[in-house]
Amino acid sequence: MEKKPHFVRREFPPREVSSVSLALLFAAILLLNALLYLYVNKFYTSSGRAETDPGLCPFGYFKLGAVKNCSPWLSCEAINREVRKLKCVGEGAVKKVFLSEWKENKVVLSQLTNSELKEDFLHGLKMLKALQSKHVVRLLGYCVQQFTVLTEYHPLGSLRGLNETLHIPKYKGMNTWHRRLMLAIDYVSIIRYLHSSPLGTLVMCDSNDLDKVLSQYLLTSDFHILVNDLDALPLVNRSAGRLVKCGHRELRGEFVAPEQRWPYGEEVPFEDDLMPPYDEKTDIWKIPDVSNFFLGHVEGSDIVRLHLFDIHAACKKKDPAERPSAQEVLDTYRKVLTLLIREAAMPGTREML
């Protein structure tokens, strides 16, 4: 009688990850990276964030809201005839600001209040005209004879009110590390733009303390940043040996860069003529403090700060020449954003590999 073959079940050692699973994992990672690239790139290019904005009108023209056609900047006659003041919403050393109305659109009318500062006012207008871009508040018209400037209205106001805005129920969903880091990226993008502007390297001089910095920028309704006040924007020209000084008074405090402080000690009285000039690296020194404000104290913000530690330490180098450029800071911010989004999307990827 034949014996039936006896089959013995062989036990194979378990494999950690099959080749098919590994291939699928790598495919998923590649797909995720592609989606992340598109996602992050969308933020850089949406709402006028791209380096070139096809929605911008030609020089000397503007458009508001849903209007498709561009209109020429309003003249003195048009401003006097068509713009209606509603109420005063602010006043600084140079100008008074009125919420106004033009053809059922809310606009902002700025008027010089101190005739001794008319050169600052006209310089601000010159900068506003020359730097029209996605980074700068939209110019709608001006009247040199009456020292008035008309610009687009942004109801969320200056960045000084950012934290208050983020506590409004409507905007609480924006109060995340991700959105706050995007605001910091916007801010550094503006500094980069000013340092490589069509006019040359410009320094943001109205920035002697955090509150002053925040007052120079507007928060748009889609949570981006525009620079609004360009009255103090001197030009650095290294090839011509031209550096700058932010005003004619002594600057104090840790917020301003070391080279902006009086270098000869308390025993020597401050004299503007003896104060050495400096360059655009003063703006770089201030980036960590401004970004720290943007990041706030929401969940995840400390992780962002940890990733930005090295670049911020470089920004705080005492020697201006050792500080990074605004472009280098911006590149680092973008890399950190992409990295953190990737880790948030696939937190277990590293362990799987």
Side-chain angles (χ1 to χ4, degrees):
M1 183 176 178
E2 289 187 19
K3 291 184 179 181
K4 292 183 179 180
H6 180 65
F7 294 100
V8 179
R9 183 178 179 182
R10 297 179 61 188
E11 297 289 339
F12 291 93
R15 299 178 65 184
E16 291 186 2
V17 183
S18 71
S19 57
V20 174
S21 299
L22 196 59
L24 290 173
L25 175 62
F26 278 113
I29 292 173
L30 289 174
L31 178 61
L32 175 65
N33 285 335
L35 291 173
L36 282 172
Y37 173 80
L38 294 173
Y39 176 71
V40 175
N41 189 60
K42 177 184 176 183
F43 273 103
Y44 297 149
T45 56
S46 65
S47 303
R49 298 297 104 186
E51 285 305 312
T52 55
D53 185 354
L56 286 176
C57 294
F59 182 80
Y61 290 78
F62 72 93
K63 60 182 177 181
L64 275 182
V67 178
K68 294 183 179 181
N69 297 326
C70 294
S71 303
W73 287 337
L74 301 185
S75 63
C76 295
E77 181 185 358
I79 291 175
N80 291 333
R81 185 180 65 248
E82 301 172 12
V83 176
R84 181 170 65 95
K85 290 181 185 177
L86 299 178
K87 64 178 179 178
C88 179
V89 292
E91 184 173 3
V94 179
K95 53 185 177 287
K96 186 177 286 188
V97 180
F98 297 89
L99 175 62
S100 305
E101 191 175 55
W102 175 74
K103 294 186 177 180
E104 299 182 351
N105 293 291
K106 295 287 194 306
V107 294
V108 174
L109 185 70
S110 302
Q111 288 187 319
L112 178 69
T113 54
N114 186 345
S115 59
E116 294 180 359
L117 298 175
K118 64 181 180 181
E119 292 303 320
D120 291 339
F121 185 88
L122 293 175
H123 176 75
L125 173 59
K126 176 184 175 182
M127 294 293 104
L128 189 57
K129 290 165 63 178
L131 298 176
Q132 282 294 290
S133 67
K134 65 199 177 296
H135 299 296
V136 179
V137 68
R138 191 168 300 168
L139 178 63
L140 310 180
Y142 61 92
C143 179
V144 173
Q145 294 92 324
Q146 298 173 6
F147 295 100
T148 58
V149 175
L150 194 69
T151 54
E152 188 175 16
Y153 172 63
H154 293 279
L156 295 183
S158 80
L159 288 177
R160 284 189 294 190
L162 174 63
N163 288 323
E164 289 76 11
T165 298
L166 289 171
H167 282 96
I168 297 173
K170 178 180 178 182
Y171 298 110
K172 278 189 174 179
M174 295 288 194
N175 197 16
T176 63
W177 70 262
H178 169 260
R179 179 57 66 175
R180 283 176 170 272
L181 178 55
M182 287 302 303
L183 291 175
I185 288 174
D186 274 359
Y187 168 71
V188 178
S189 297
I190 292 172
I191 298 300
R192 189 275 310 268
Y193 174 67
L194 295 178
H195 288 185
S196 57
S197 81
L199 301 177
T201 301
L202 299 168
V203 182
M204 194 65 175
C205 266
D206 263 344
S207 56
N208 298 335
D209 57 63
L210 179 61
D211 191 65
K212 186 63 173 175
V213 170
L214 298 176
S215 70
Q216 309 301 304
Y217 298 87
L218 296 172
L219 181 64
T220 67
S221 296
D222 59 351
F223 269 71
H224 285 291
I225 297 174
L226 298 172
V227 62
N228 181 52
D229 196 329
L230 304 173
D231 292 346
L233 212 60
L235 178 69
V236 169
N237 188 337
R238 284 192 185 82
S239 60
R242 183 194 300 169
L243 299 177
V244 305
K245 287 191 286 187
C246 291
H248 304 288
R249 298 179 181 179
E250 182 178 0
L251 301 179
R252 296 175 179 267
E254 293 299 314
F255 188 83
V256 296
E259 63 271 22
Q260 292 184 280
R261 302 172 210 153
W262 180 242
Y264 303 118
E266 294 290 339
E267 62 277 5
V268 180
F270 176 82
E271 287 187 41
D272 184 43
D273 292 340
L274 298 180
M275 179 67 199
Y278 33 84
D279 63 17
E280 77 280 2
K281 290 299 183 73
T282 58
D283 289 333
I284 304 300
W285 171 273
K286 298 161 189 172
I287 286 175
D289 298 296
V290 180
S291 289
N292 188 54
F293 168 81
F294 285 131
L295 292 175
H297 299 285
V298 297
E299 182 180 355
S301 62
D302 286 342
I303 299 297
V304 178
R305 286 186 179 91
L306 184 63
H307 281 81
L308 296 177
F309 180 85
D310 289 341
I311 192 67
H312 282 173
C315 291
K316 290 295 188 179
K317 294 280 189 181
K318 187 172 182 180
D319 183 355
E322 295 181 3
R323 295 173 204 153
S325 66
Q327 182 65 62
E328 289 171 322
V329 178
L330 180 60
D331 290 343
T332 301
Y333 275 39
R334 287 175 170 173
K335 287 176 183 175
V336 168
L337 174 65
T338 302
L339 172 66
L340 292 177
I341 292 176
R342 180 187 294 122
E343 290 185 350
M346 291 188 70
T349 302
R350 193 173 298 168
E351 289 76 7
M352 292 172 70
L353 291 173

